[in-house]
Amino acid sequence: MKKEQVVNCQFSVWYPIFKKHTIKSDHDTQTHSNSDLNGDLNAEEDIQWSDDETTTTVTAPEFPEFSSHVLEAINALGGSVFPKLNWSAPRDANWIALNSSLQCHSLSDIFLLFKSSDFITHDLTQPFLLCSDQDSPDPAINYELVLRKWSELIPGGEFRCFVKENKLIGNKRNGRSRVTIIIIIIIVVVVVVVVVVSALCLSNYTIQLELHSRRLALLPAVSQRDYTQYYQHILKQEEQICQAVEAFFSQHIQYNFLDEDFVFDVYRDSQGRVWLIDLNPFGEVTDSLLFSWEELTSGDLTQQQEGPAFRYATSEVTVQPSPCLSYRIPRDFVDLSTGEDAYKLIDFLKLKKSQQEDSEEEEEERGGDAPPQ
């Protein structure tokens, strides 16, 4: 994954290309570089001292033009929006909202989610994390507030697709299928027996076969987006879902994006129509869901099966916990429970040891002060 690929997956880059096939959005709100944004925030802060030395009055920063623009955009999109930055949405912060949802009606709703989101922090501080070309300078980024028209999407209709070299991963049949081979044999026999077949008809028929073979080569690697739940309709409609995603990719996505390797999320509605939801870099910074990145990059999926590499929860037993649950507790607790931060664990053990020693000293003092029997 290169830094250029990350830049190309910004909303403002891909939205104009696929505007007809995605949810209506507004991304023309005021943009800043990260340093400019921080500078504006610091410059607007005004601390006023009162006569009472123990009391201070802090005036919050105000951006009247920006606030007005955002409110106009929210109203134009129906009064409810789904917010995000260049790449990420604050999916890890929905727990802090009063309605436990990412649905926002005002700028204060958006600020609350953004301030509580590690995903947004990642966009602002480490957008090029895990890129292979770390030695190259980071591209300049203008951060933008993206507002998407709020739509009640059923999580069971969302799917993530992985594309490498402009082909959806997971198909072994890169050549002609068995059915196509049989058709070719029949054509050869017909040509031998019926010499009067015109060259034009034969040419047209061959083109049709090649197009059919090309369609067979687009079987996708698809993962259920919300793998924390079991949806019966996915099991029943597996073939229809694969065909719909494959057709959408070949007709609207393939060869139209700036990169050959990328990940895209789609939503299939109750009418069977497929909508583009998001585009992400092809790399470990993007959640591989029910696949592993080793599988996606090694080619093992192509060797293992003939049909689509489609993974989803097949029963209640296969349901997995949501990774966003860990964001609802303090980060220190997560580090201690997983052992990711050894220094925090050492400090915690020292604290426990100190508390134990203090407790023992108190017990000894109480024992020494006890009256004789």
Side-chain angles (χ1 to χ4, degrees), residues 38-107:
N38 291 333
D40 290 343
L41 290 173
N42 293 332
E44 292 290 337
E45 185 174 356
D46 181 22
I47 300 179
Q48 299 177 355
W49 298 92
S50 65
D51 295 336
D52 186 354
E53 295 181 356
T54 61
T55 305
T56 60
T57 303
V58 180
T59 303
E62 296 181 357
F63 308 95
E65 293 184 4
F66 178 74
S67 300
S68 177
H69 190 173
V70 171
L71 184 59
E72 290 178 3
I74 292 176
N75 292 332
L77 294 172
S80 300
V81 296
F82 175 90
K84 63 178 296 181
L85 279 187
N86 302 40
W87 297 279
S88 303
R91 293 180 179 273
D92 57 324
N94 63 336
W95 59 273
I96 202 170
L98 294 177
N99 57 356
S100 297
S101 169
L102 297 181
Q103 183 179 11
C104 295
H105 304 279
S106 64
L107 189 59

Side-chain angles (χ1 to χ4, degrees), residues 167 171-182 184 209-219 302 306:
K167 294 182 180 179
N171 180 41
K172 186 177 180 179
R173 294 176 292 183
N174 291 325
R176 302 183 187 274
S177 68
R178 183 178 301 176
V179 175
T180 310
I181 294 175
I182 294 175
I184 293 175
L209 288 174
E210 291 177 353
L211 292 176
H212 179 63
S213 175
R214 183 180 301 176
R215 287 196 295 269
L216 289 175
L218 291 177
L219 294 173
T302 301
E306 293 285 341

Side-chain angles (χ1 to χ4, degrees), residues 1 6 122 126-131 134 285:
M1 180 179 68
V6 176
H122 172 271
Q126 296 178 308
F128 303 108
L129 183 68
L130 301 180
C131 287
Q134 289 293 334
V285 70

